[in-house]
Amino acid sequence: MTRTGAPAVLPWGRHYLAVRPDHFRVDYVINPFMDPADQPDPARALAQWQRMVATLEGLGARVEVLDQRPDAPDMVYAMNLGLGVLRPDGSAHAVLSHMRFPERRMETATARDWFARSRSTAYVGRDGVGAHFEAGDAFPFGDALVVGYGPRTDELGLKQLAVELGVRVRGFRITHPGMYHMDLAFNPLDGRRAMVCPDAFDEESAAALLALVPEPLVLSEAEALTFCANSVVVGRTVVMPACPDRVRAVLEGWGFEIVLVDVSEFHKGGGSIRCLTNPLDIVVGRDLPALPGGSVVLP
Ligand code: ARG
C-alpha cells in the first residue's frame, strides 16, 4: 500500500520484447480465432503495431524489436517466445517456450539466440520431448508465478518451471477453447488487483484464482472475448485493445488511465496487445518470492 491507501503499482512492465510483423499471416488454424480465408492486411497490421510500440514508448516503456522469421507467421505474438526473469543474484535468465503446436516450434530457436545474447537460457521440455510450456500462460501475481495449463502448457511442465526459476508456481486449469492462453483471461493490474475471467477455467481453478486476487475485476465471457484482458499495464496506465463500458468504469474508479490502441488485424491470429509484447523486467525476489527448489500449488 502507498500512503494514500492505493495498492502499489506493478513494478514490472516497463521493458518489452516485440517482433515486427513483416511476415504476419494466418497460414493454419491452432485456435478458434484463426481462419486462413481471413488474412491480415500487412500495411494495416504494421501501422497498428507501430502505433502500439509508440504508445508504450510514450509511456516510458522500453521496447526491443526482434525480426520476424519469414517461416513463422505467428512469431509476432512475442509473448510466447519465452519467460525472461532477473534473478536475486542479478543474473538474467529465460525459460524458453516449448510450443504445443509444431507450426510454432521453429520460433524457439530464434528466441533462444536472442535471449542468449544477454541471459542464460533453459527449456521446459524440448522439441518432441517433455512437457509443453508457452510463456503467455505465466505471470507473477501475489506470492507466486500464476500459470494457466491445459490447452498449451502441460500440467507436467509446472514443476519444471518452478524448479528452473526457484519460485512458487500456482497452476490453474484452463478449459475454454477461446481463452487458450492465461493472458486472455487474467491480467495483473497492481499489487492487489487483476482482471479475471472465471469462465476460462474449471470450477476449482476459477474459485482458487478469485481467492488469490484480493480485488479481482471479474470479467464475463463476452467481456473477455473482446480481448480486454490481453492488455499491458505501465504504472497506472492500461494499454488496451478494447474496453467494455463496465470494465472502464471499474478501472477508472480504481484510478487507472485507459489508452485504447486498435490491433484488430492481430485478432485474426487470436492475439492482442499482451500477446504482441513480452515483459523482460520481471524480478524474482521482488515480483514473486524466491523459493529455492520451487514448489507447485494446484487448486
Ligand atoms: N496464433 C497464435 C497461437 O495460437 C496466437 C498467440 C496469442 N498469444 C498469446 N499470448 N495469447 O499460438
Side-chain angles (χ1 to χ4, degrees), residues 24-171:
F24 172 44
R25 302 176 304 273
V26 177
D27 281 359
Y28 44 78
V29 177
I30 57 170
N31 70 55
F33 298 92
M34 300 175 85
D35 174 5
D38 185 16
Q39 288 296 326
D41 177 79
R44 221 172 110 78
L46 181 59
Q48 290 180 345
W49 181 88
Q50 285 170 329
R51 225 191 118 225
M52 177 194 75
V53 170
T55 302
L56 292 170
E57 289 175 340
L59 292 167
R62 180 170 152 223
V63 181
E64 295 192 58
V65 177
L66 173 61
D67 287 338
Q68 186 176 6
R69 289 172 65 122
D71 63 346
D74 265 337
M75 193 179 156
V76 293
Y77 302 106
M79 185 60 236
N80 297 120
L81 293 177
L83 169 63
V85 297
L86 305 167
R87 286 166 156 164
D89 67 1
S91 65
H93 188 57
V95 181
L96 301 162
S97 291
H98 172 33
M99 306 272 196
R100 166 74 58 185
F101 294 104
E103 286 88 338
R104 291 198 67 180
R105 289 198 193 135
M106 76 295 251
E107 296 176 33
T108 300
T110 306
R112 184 199 50 221
D113 291 345
W114 188 84
F115 279 113
R117 296 196 324 220
S118 58
R119 298 169 186 255
S120 57
T121 59
Y123 292 89
V124 169
R126 218 179 299 203
D127 212 4
V129 194
H132 296 103
F133 166 62
E134 297 193 7
D137 277 326
F139 296 91
F141 189 82
D143 65 353
L145 188 70
V146 165
V147 183
Y149 66 93
R152 297 295 176 94
T153 296
D154 286 318
E155 185 179 339
L156 262 176
L158 304 182
K159 182 72 197 165
Q160 276 169 272
L161 201 54
V163 170
E164 188 54 48
L165 295 170
V167 300
R168 178 180 292 107
V169 164
R170 291 187 181 272

